[in-house]
Amino acid sequence: MKVLPAAAVLACTAVLQAAAPTPADLLARARGAELAGKGTEAAQDATRVVVEAPASDAAAGAAALLGRVRLREGDFGEAAWWLERAVAGGALDAAPLRALAVRGLLRAQGMGGTWGTAQDVVGTEVKRPAALLRLPSGTRAVLDGKSATLISFAGDGTRLPTEIGEVQAATARPDGKLVVAAGEQLFLMDPQGKEPPGPLAALGRFAPAGAIAVDAAGEIWIADRKGTRLGRLPSGAPEPVLVLESKTLRAEALAPLPPGRGIAVLDTRAGTLLSVDPDGTVHPMASLPWGERGRPAALAADPAGQLAVLDEKSGEVVLVDGEGNVRDRLAPVSDREAPVAIALGPDGSLDLVTGDGRLRRAP
């Protein structure tokens, strides 16, 4: 047997090491396979990452990918295990998927596992909820449009300046400031009331506003009250620019999607969910399960891109995944418990305001 010189052995080893994919390479390849619908290939590369490089920067992302694949396959136990590992490694956007996997596991074991009965959070009455907000600080609050009061789930209230008039819609920016539509203006407000509100932009053709959301890039999106016009506000612009206009559209609620996926739009005329890109390209996402019998009225999103939709007619809330599948439900016990506003949290929980003005939460 011919023995290679030491220099040749070292050269061969260097070539092999250079050709070997890094954990980051494997994760990128796994994500590409996942997007292409090749779950088995994606899982193989992701498994290599967490087995061969558990301490690498790519390990948490690979565990999250494995959890997503197993969740789509209906293997809730393994999905929950991988997603737990991903969250422990710092992949916080996997937390709502972990909650979903745990609920699916409980259902498979005959132990319920849905959102369950909503519990009262605070007894403050909300006369007309204009927005249900989860601020970046973790504070959960509802904005009462009638009294212009921001009520936290701890029960304390911050009175907003009454000179802005009745609030039409509001949302929170990533920096925690509130974007509030009132009259023909957009205002920027400090939720703690320590700074005076400042005018942000005119609403222009979008006045009065019907819905507002901030997308993953930090841009503000606005739908007018009729829902036939959808626009966004570029940084520094005096008013929103038109993105989409259609007499057949009724955009009554907006919610942010993960980076690169635009904004989610609830079209109540067609009873469907859409995503809209900044250039106005429309992508169908899902048909809602109620058909003509339902009356969709509110929309919320979590960091994983799942959407909660409220049916005003039945009071039911459904959780829809990124592929348009209904993954969870919450039905009210009575008409008094029927939600009128909803929000999803990063932990998979659901916040809601009921018709009788109560703030409630479903784990």
Side-chain angles (χ1 to χ4, degrees):
M1 182 178 68
K2 185 177 180 179
V3 179
L4 292 173
V9 172
L10 290 174
C12 291
T13 302
V15 169
L16 290 173
Q17 288 176 342
T22 66
D25 293 334
L26 288 170
L27 179 56
R29 193 166 71 186
R31 285 173 171 163
E34 182 189 21
L35 289 173
K38 300 176 181 179
T40 300
E41 293 180 18
Q44 288 173 347
D45 281 334
T47 301
R48 281 189 60 186
V49 174
V50 294
V51 171
E52 298 174 8
S56 69
D57 292 338
L65 186 152
L66 281 165
R68 292 195 300 268
V69 171
R70 297 295 179 248
L71 189 60
R72 282 195 292 269
E73 293 173 346
D75 191 341
F76 299 112
E78 188 174 350
W81 191 88
W82 283 114
L83 290 163
E84 176 69 29
R85 182 167 178 168
V87 173
L92 297 181
D93 59 345
L97 294 176
R98 177 187 60 181
L100 183 63
V102 170
R103 291 198 295 269
L105 180 62
L106 292 174
R107 275 199 300 274
Q109 295 174 344
M111 300 173 64
T114 65
W115 266 315
T117 304
Q119 304 296 320
D120 282 336
V121 178
V122 64
T124 305
E125 182 181 354
V126 182
K127 297 179 180 178
R128 190 182 71 76
L132 190 53
L133 305 168
R134 281 182 179 257
L135 305 181
S137 62
T139 300
R140 290 146 49 229
V142 61
L143 179 58
D144 189 335
K146 189 71 174 177
S147 63
T149 302
L150 186 69
I151 305 165
S152 79
F153 274 41
D156 54 333
T158 299
R159 182 78 177 180
L160 300 179
T162 55
E163 62 267 20
I164 68 172
E166 187 168 331
V167 174
Q168 301 153 5
T171 190
R173 293 197 319 188
D175 63 0
K177 297 290 182 67
L178 301 184
V179 179
V180 178
E184 297 184 355
Q185 290 283 327
L186 280 176
F187 296 90
L188 190 62
M189 296 189 171
D190 175 10
Q192 297 180 344
K194 296 180 180 179
E195 300 176 12
L200 184 61
L203 283 169
R205 71 181 78 182
F206 298 94
I212 304 178
V214 176
D215 67 14
E219 287 201 331
I220 301 167
W221 289 68
I222 302 168
D224 67 354
R225 184 166 291 176
K226 292 182 178 180
T228 58
R229 289 173 176 163
L230 180 65
R232 61 184 177 86
L233 181 67
S235 178
E239 63 181 53
V241 297
L242 183 67
V243 174
L244 182 66
E245 183 173 16
S246 172
K247 292 183 179 180
T248 63
L249 177 70
R250 187 178 293 162
E252 292 196 18
L254 309 175
L257 291 171
R261 293 181 52 191
I263 200 84
V265 177
L266 175 61
D267 181 1
T268 60
R269 185 183 298 277
T272 59
L273 290 172
L274 310 170
S275 68
V276 180
D277 297 335
D279 64 0
T281 304
V282 178
H283 308 275
M285 293 182 64
S287 295
L288 298 173
W290 307 292
E292 294 181 357
R293 297 179 291 107
R295 191 164 57 239
L299 179 66
D302 68 19
Q306 298 175 118
L307 297 168
V309 187
L310 165 66
D311 177 35
E312 189 178 54
K313 194 169 185 178
S314 66
E316 183 182 49
V317 181
V318 298
L319 183 69
V320 180
D321 66 18
E323 298 175 350
N325 303 309
V326 175
R327 305 305 297 264
D328 209 346
R329 294 176 183 265
L330 176 73
V333 176
S334 66
D335 290 342
R336 293 183 61 196
E337 286 191 341
V340 293
I342 56 176
L344 278 175
D347 58 353
S349 63
L350 175 73
D351 293 334
L352 51 96
V353 180
T354 57
D356 58 357
R358 289 180 296 163
L359 302 179
R360 314 204 81 198
R361 186 171 191 262

